[in-house]
Amino acid sequence: VSTSAQRTTEELVAAAHAGQAAATGRLLSRVERGGEACRVVARVVFALGGSAYTVGVTGPPGAGKSTLTGRLVGALRARDDRVAVLAIDPTSPYSGGAILGDRVRMLDHSHDPGVFIRSMATRGHLGGLAFAAPEAVRVLDAVGFPWILLETVGVGQAELDVSRTADTTVVVLNPGWGDDVQTAKAGLLEIADIFVINKADRPGADEARADLESMLDAGSWPGADWRPPILETVASCGNGVEALLESVERHRAWLSRDGRLASERSGRLCREIESIVALRLQEQAHEVLARSGAESLRTRVEERQLDTWTAADAVLAELARL
Amino acid sequence: VSTSAQRTTEELVAAAHAGQAAATGRLLSRVERGGEACRVVARVVFALGGSAYTVGVTGPPGAGKSTLTGRLVGALRARDDRVAVLAIDPTSPYSGGAILGDRVRMLDHSHDPGVFIRSMATRGHLGGLAFAAPEAVRVLDAVGFPWILLETVGVGQAELDVSRTADTTVVVLNPGWGDDVQTAKAGLLEIADIFVINKADRPGADEARADLESMLDAGSWPGADWRPPILETVASCGNGVEALLESVERHRAWLSRDGRLASERSGRLCREIESIVALRLQEQAHEVLARSGAESLRTRVEERQLDTWTAADAVLAELARL
């Protein structure tokens, strides 16, 4: 028997499929590591997946995303479905390591072999999150999880990345979501398939709902025949979670009609390819600029004889010559 | 006299330099618009700047960044320095427009000709914020503002972008910054030149300070001879703001020794050029993939015969042939 460290990707996938969580974890570590390790895993799992359904859970800090995700896990387990949770930490480009934070609240499920929970960092490699998240989802898909929940920490780019990876995006807010989130509202509207007002037992839930409804009335969306429903939950005691899961399934059924799901997934794959191409080319550009031959170019920019856009043209010309 | 709409970039820069805020605003609009309009402005202003000092003000939502920025404006005005404020809205990639939000709190200064305040969106163009922010700073530099304050909304990528644009990055936190920000701590540590515990009159300021100190003790930084000081402010009444400005000037003086500032700025310019190159190449990759000739490639990916990385290789090969 080969040791785990020596196992090929194929062996790890087989072990993970048979229920070995450690093997799944090892595959995800290779994805996180990026570079060739990720690429080998990506090649193997790509062909194996396609049957999992991915639900993104996003929203501002403190909205209760982890608690709600934990409850969704419980609701799916009550149906005897296996489920994987990937908690994505967008701050990790700086830090090189995911901090579990409040995701310990999900440890209720940590001894259930039908549940896999992983907090994922992206270790600073360029465009890390945008690449690692879809690859990680494909690993979990390939090893047989029918449900994958993607939870993000924070507000901003991460939400966009999650909505680019998930089939259904659930945006979690609270009563009295105030000035601070105000600026993010328009963005949330564009990525939400379902809104959840969590902590709905607190004052202000009606106002939050009215606020969202009027924004939905004012907006227009690409898929205009799906209007995001607004649900209320109290994740801390489980209220509304079953209704949320039903709403996710309604969205899934809607997406599955008329080839919409296939077309959305295809569009996401195209954007992923574009990102990979850009990443590789950016690495090449970095190398070109770091060369000793580029020193005079850098100097002319520093001395403001040459602007950055013209310098970029010179680098592009050099790349074309490679 | 030509109308403003017809004015050349050079005329606008001259008018802006003479104190016409509308001309400054028009230049920034061209930067925001991206594309060729931005590029023309970028070329003209690039040669004119270099004397402004840029201070980034970042941190989690609700920390009081706008109020503190407004106070810094007041402190700089008390010294009779002109100051420009650029409020960067990272959520705008979705929304196509900056929402002023709590920046109305800065309107105290709106009738002072020595102060220019602008809320900036990035209108969804690829990599918008990362390009627009440094160009906008160069516009403000070129038209004669000695101080530029860059404020961000939100947590995440925007912080990184700001720290890549600012000479001194001030990270604003609050007493009891809790679990939600926990995950972002490591990231904040890496970009902070100065920490501010704002709302320091609330309980928990000592704990927040002790927490930061122990994280600083544990960490190691590239510029290890600058340990970020931890200041306390109550921005709502102005307490501690003068000390913060002095701290900014100490950091500036430290940076200015041994060519450190010039070298950091030069490094930032290189990264900017790399980003521009990557942007242009990603646009090319998008075009290649959108062509009818790429249809079979897309189909093979959709049918999982070809993984995304191998497809990216094919696009790269196609790009090289262009």
Side-chain angles (χ1 to χ4, degrees), chain B residues 274-290:
Chain B
E274 285 166 31
S275 302
I276 293 169
V277 168
L279 171 75
R280 313 273 295 279
L281 291 170
Q282 189 160 5
E283 286 163 352
Q284 288 178 20
H286 181 79
E287 280 161 31
V288 164
L289 264 172

Side-chain angles (χ1 to χ4, degrees), chain B residues 2-322:
Chain B
S2 62
T3 67
S4 184
Q6 296 163 326
R7 280 185 191 170
T8 65
T9 299
E10 286 81 356
E11 287 170 337
L12 284 172
V13 168
H17 212 287
Q20 285 185 27
T24 307
R26 199 164 284 265
L27 287 166
L28 292 176
S29 296
R30 293 186 183 177
V31 165
E32 275 186 303
R33 208 177 302 147
E36 192 52 29
C38 170
R39 203 176 158 149
V40 169
V41 173
R43 280 220 196 83
V44 172
V45 298
F46 193 77
L48 299 172
S51 45
Y53 195 79
T54 307
V55 180
V57 178
T58 191
K65 297 183 291 291
S66 295
T67 313
L68 192 63
T69 303
R71 291 288 179 181
L72 279 173
V73 169
L76 289 164
R77 292 301 293 146
R79 300 179 180 199
D80 226 22
D81 281 351
R82 294 175 72 219
V83 56
V85 178
L86 207 56
I88 302 273
D89 187 341
T91 63
S92 54
Y94 317 108
S95 69
I99 301 162
L100 272 166
D102 52 0
R103 275 185 287 294
V104 290
R105 289 175 209 155
M106 270 192 279
L107 290 181
D108 286 355
H109 302 286
S110 62
H111 295 294
D112 176 350
V115 178
F116 180 89
I117 297 174
R118 170 88 168 205
S119 189
M120 192 163 179
T122 49
R123 301 191 193 276
H125 55 80
L126 203 59
L129 180 57
F131 299 102
E135 292 301 353
V137 163
R138 281 199 282 267
V139 165
L140 296 166
D141 183 355
V143 307
F145 287 99
W147 290 95
I148 300 164
L149 308 184
L150 262 181
E151 185 208 331
T152 45
V153 180
V155 190
Q157 186 59 32
E159 287 168 348
L160 193 58
D161 288 334
V162 160
S163 77
R164 279 179 181 157
T165 305
D167 297 311
T168 297
T169 298
V170 177
V171 170
V172 186
L173 301 167
N174 293 143
W177 59 315
D179 291 346
D180 298 321
V181 187
Q182 194 78 18
T183 49
K185 277 185 182 177
L188 294 174
L189 275 176
E190 287 188 37
I191 62 168
D193 297 309
I194 297 170
F195 280 106
V196 169
I197 302 171
N198 189 34
K199 307 180 188 175
D201 52 343
R202 296 192 183 170
D206 291 346
E207 290 83 345
R209 169 184 292 278
D211 196 25
L212 281 172
E213 294 283 11
S214 72
M215 291 183 80
L216 287 170
D217 288 340
S220 69
W221 295 268
D225 47 339
W226 176 266
R227 181 181 167 111
I230 303 169
L231 305 180
E232 297 185 8
T233 59
V234 184
S236 56
C237 67
N239 281 358
V241 172
E242 194 55 42
L244 170 58
L245 189 51
E246 281 160 22
S247 187
V248 168
E249 297 211 302
R250 262 195 303 278
H251 185 244
R252 180 181 190 164
W254 175 82
L255 272 179
S256 304
R257 281 201 300 271
D258 313 323
R260 212 177 263 120
L261 183 60
S263 138
E264 291 210 352
R265 286 179 172 179
S266 162
R268 291 205 297 261
L269 286 170
C270 271
R271 285 195 295 273
E272 244 191 280
I273 297 169
E274 285 166 31
S275 302
I276 293 169
V277 168
L279 171 75
R280 313 273 295 279
L281 291 170
Q282 189 160 5
E283 286 163 352
Q284 288 178 20
H286 181 79
E287 280 161 31
V288 164
L289 264 172
R291 275 188 216 153
S292 58
E295 206 162 310
S296 75
L297 184 74
R298 290 202 308 267
T299 307
R300 277 155 68 209
V301 173
E302 282 163 30
E303 292 172 353
R304 298 189 174 251
Q305 296 160 14
L306 197 70
D307 70 282
T308 47
W309 293 80
T310 308
D313 284 342
V315 175
L316 282 163
E318 183 62 30
L319 278 173
R321 228 174 297 139
L322 292 183

Side-chain angles (χ1 to χ4, degrees), chain A residues 258-310:
Chain A
D258 313 322
R260 211 177 265 120
L261 184 59
S263 139
E264 290 210 353
R265 285 180 173 179
S266 162
R268 291 206 297 260
L269 286 171
C270 270
R271 286 195 294 276
E272 243 191 279
I273 297 169
E274 285 164 31
S275 301
I276 293 170
V277 168
L279 172 75
R280 313 275 294 280
L281 290 168
Q282 190 160 4
E283 286 165 352
Q284 288 178 20
H286 181 80
E287 279 162 31
V288 164
L289 264 172
R291 277 188 216 152
S292 57
E295 207 163 309
S296 76
L297 184 75
R298 291 203 307 267
T299 307
R300 278 155 67 209
V301 173
E302 281 162 32
E303 291 172 355
R304 295 188 176 253
Q305 296 161 16
L306 197 70
D307 69 281
T308 47
W309 294 79
T310 310

Side-chain angles (χ1 to χ4, degrees), chain A residues 119-237:
Chain A
S119 190
M120 192 163 179
T122 50
R123 301 188 193 276
H125 54 81
L126 204 58
L129 181 58
F131 299 101
E135 292 301 354
V137 164
R138 281 200 282 268
V139 165
L140 296 166
D141 184 353
V143 307
F145 287 99
W147 291 93
I148 300 164
L149 308 184
L150 262 180
E151 185 208 331
T152 46
V153 180
V155 190
Q157 185 60 33
E159 285 167 350
L160 194 58
D161 288 334
V162 160
S163 77
R164 279 179 181 157
T165 305
D167 297 310
T168 297
T169 298
V170 178
V171 170
V172 186
L173 301 166
N174 294 143
W177 60 315
D179 291 345
D180 297 323
V181 186
Q182 194 79 20
T183 48
K185 277 186 183 176
L188 294 175
L189 276 176
E190 287 187 38
I191 61 168
D193 298 308
I194 296 170
F195 280 106
V196 168
I197 302 172
N198 189 36
K199 306 181 188 176
D201 53 342
R202 296 193 184 170
D206 292 345
E207 290 83 346
R209 170 185 291 277
D211 195 26
L212 280 172
E213 294 283 10
S214 72
M215 293 185 79
L216 287 171
D217 289 339
S220 68
W221 294 267
D225 47 338
W226 175 266
R227 181 181 167 110
I230 302 169
L231 306 180
E232 297 185 8
T233 59
V234 184
S236 57
C237 67

Side-chain angles (χ1 to χ4, degrees), chain A residues 9 13 27 31 38 40-50 134-143, chain B residues 304:
Chain A
T9 299
V13 169
L27 287 166
V31 165
C38 170
V40 169
V41 172
R43 280 219 197 83
V44 172
V45 297
F46 193 77
L48 299 173
E135 292 301 354
V137 164
R138 281 200 282 268
V139 165
L140 296 166
D141 184 353
V143 307
Chain B
R304 298 189 174 251

